[in-house]
Amino acid sequence: MNKPDLCVAKNREKVTIDYINLNLDIKPVFKGKKYFLRTYGCQMNVHDSEEIKYYLEQLGFVPSEKLEDADIVVLNTCAIRENAKDKVFGYLGRCKHLKKIKKDLIICLCGCLTEQPSEIEEIIKKHKYIDIVIGTHNLNELPKLIENASGKQTVEVYSNSDKVYENIKYSRDSKISAWINIQLGCDKFCTYCIVPFTRGRERSRKMENILEEVQYLKDNGYMEVTLLGQNVNAYGKDLDLGYDFATLLEKVAKIGIPRIRFVTSHPWNFTDKMIDVIAKYPNIMPYIHLPIQSGSDEILKKMNRRYTIEEYKKLFDTIKEKVSKVSITTDIIVGFPNETEEDFKKTLDIVNYCKFDGAFTFIFSPRVGTAAALMEDKVPMSEKEERLHKLNELVNKYSLESNKKYLGKVVPVLVTGPSDKGINKVCGYTDTMKLVNIDGSKDLIGKIVNVKILDAKSFSLDGVVC
Ligand code: SAH
Ligand code: SF4
Ligand code: F3S
């Protein structure tokens, strides 16, 4: 077993980044065997799973519908909140049970949970039935580790993140809409957040490689790309090559792929130049996810978010004014250590001001290793739950209100797949990222169609093609 090299402090050091062109030779040594892959967490993990899927398929594995039929199970984990972790360990219980019956089953754990020193120690001590533990920085070593799986636990987790791999191959879930990493890691160190520890230093991919990938996807019929990074507006700063996110966005827009999206934008450093580019190009979608986290300046400061509510409001108003019909969603945490009733009221105030199109809301979850986990917190959980409930009621009220504005309107929708609302229905997204269930046949999948909106709910719209 290799000794895990987990020293999170390293993530804070500035190091020279190596750009490495991958050229893997993977042999189909597991031909006819089956894999089961389960993904937790954010879009980054979803996209990483597309890389994992590529490796598994190159090794000869085919997908299995059921865990019980699998010869290898891969769990791509998330560590953002305690409940994300609980879900993984709950599922591991099922895997452990299966391994008792199926001795040759290979169990592989990857993703952010593996990069948390406290977790990895527990995994090594208590979960010996896991065959492979691989970190977030060296996914490309997975084929080799699977090929060499010997029944003894192997741990290949590194805290260092001084590399950017190019020429990564993916087995993408969709032939219509594709994720593209533009930036890895995060350097913001919001005090509640584990991501800088699990994903390492902020590193941008070189622009020419991203543009090449967009061009390739367009040539292969993709209708939409989503540029991924924890802080896309910091894109390029680490490269010092004279370009930034606005430059990249404009160049991507000029390639002419029908729809371009990006997540996530930090309210800090969201430049006017970015807003102008978003406003100028019709193929950059008028949708921005702009996490606010709290309505209280005191809490924002303790969170190390680097903006005040006044600054957020100013940015919000400018975006609304310059980008026509833009929709804006957000993330909010309630119950940050010692959040007062007054602080919480300020969060409700900012929600009343912004009337967000949607919001992901969370109760603060202490993460071992982060600064906020060490802060004193006298707010009882019952109080936090009550705040979350109140906040959700307000957030849902505004989601419904903003969706109702679509009633009777005709809007372009990119149809992405069948709808789970009925057999003769498909679903897709408006340019403003509203989910629409549409009466129509599967022939519409992959097309942008005009849809008349007939009904509006808090989380979706219903419509017919016209
Ligand atoms: N990079 C993005 C956020 C990625 S994490 C940004 O800065 O906007 C997604 C969301 O999870 C965060 O916006 C935050 O609202 C929430 N989150 C992160 N850590 C959390 C924690 N410890 N407890 C509760 N929610 C958390
Ligand atoms: Fe986490 Fe903050 Fe980085 Fe977002 S910006 S990933 S919330 S540390
Ligand atoms: Fe994403 Fe969870 Fe990691 S939100 S970056 S998979 S901790």
Side-chain angles (χ1 to χ4, degrees), residues 60 89 99 116 133 136 159 176 184-187 192 201 211 220-221 264 288 302 362 407 438 440 463:
F89 281 102
K99 183 137 183 169
Q116 260 193 294
V133 184
T136 59
S159 67
I176 302 160
L184 312 165
C186 179
D187 276 354
Y192 51 82
R201 291 269 330 281
L211 296 177
N220 282 276
T264 302
I288 295 169
K302 285 190 196 161
F362 313 101
L407 281 175
I438 309 160

Side-chain angles (χ1 to χ4, degrees), residues 182-372:
I182 64 163
Q183 176 199 55
L184 312 165
C186 179
D187 276 354
K188 295 292 170 288
F189 288 97
C190 301
T191 55
Y192 51 82
C193 186
I194 197 70
V195 174
F197 303 99
T198 64
R199 292 277 171 170
R201 291 269 330 281
E202 202 163 84
R203 291 150 288 152
S204 298
R205 284 180 68 201
K206 300 245 172 86
M207 187 158 70
E208 63 266 26
N209 295 320
I210 298 168
L211 296 177
E212 217 171 84
E213 197 171 340
V214 177
Q215 185 68 54
Y216 170 84
L217 291 164
K218 178 177 179 253
D219 295 346
N220 282 276
Y222 276 83
M223 297 292 282
E224 180 175 78
V225 291
T226 302
L227 310 178
L228 285 180
Q230 294 295 354
N231 282 293
V232 289
N233 35 347
Y235 170 80
K237 281 184 198 300
D238 53 316
L239 293 173
D240 220 5
L241 288 171
Y243 51 73
D244 57 12
F245 184 59
T247 325
L248 173 72
L249 205 48
E250 184 155 32
K251 289 205 188 267
V252 171
K254 283 185 178 159
I255 290 176
I257 200 148
R259 287 187 165 198
I260 299 151
R261 301 187 185 279
F262 51 90
V263 273
T264 302
S265 318
H266 195 297
W268 186 65
N269 253 339
F270 201 116
T271 62
D272 284 347
K273 193 171 153 206
M274 266 172 71
I275 301 175
D276 291 342
V277 171
I278 297 164
K280 183 172 166 192
Y281 290 89
N283 58 344
I284 302 177
M285 296 297 98
Y287 165 68
I288 295 169
H289 185 59
L290 196 66
I292 189 164
Q293 312 299 359
S294 169
S296 151
D297 282 340
E298 281 80 347
I299 296 289
L300 288 175
K301 206 164 176 194
K302 285 190 196 161
M303 287 177 162
N304 191 28
R305 284 296 284 182
R306 306 156 194 246
Y307 52 84
T308 62
I309 286 303
E310 266 328 289
E311 286 163 344
Y312 186 93
K313 275 183 175 169
K314 195 165 163 254
L315 173 65
F316 182 93
D317 291 342
T318 313
I319 296 172
K320 283 270 176 184
E321 184 199 315
K322 288 198 176 170
V323 183
S324 83
K325 69 177 183 179
V326 69
S327 76
I328 301 181
T329 56
T330 200
D331 291 346
I332 302 171
I333 297 175
V334 297
F336 189 79
N338 280 353
E339 178 192 63
T340 62
E341 192 56 36
E342 197 51 36
D343 291 320
F344 176 62
K345 265 196 69 227
K346 289 179 183 166
T347 296
L348 298 179
D349 290 345
I350 192 69
V351 171
N352 281 318
Y353 180 89
C354 295
K355 303 180 172 55
F356 293 108
D357 286 82
F360 297 97
T361 57
F362 313 101
I363 291 180
F364 166 74
S365 173
R367 311 317 297 134
V368 178
T370 63

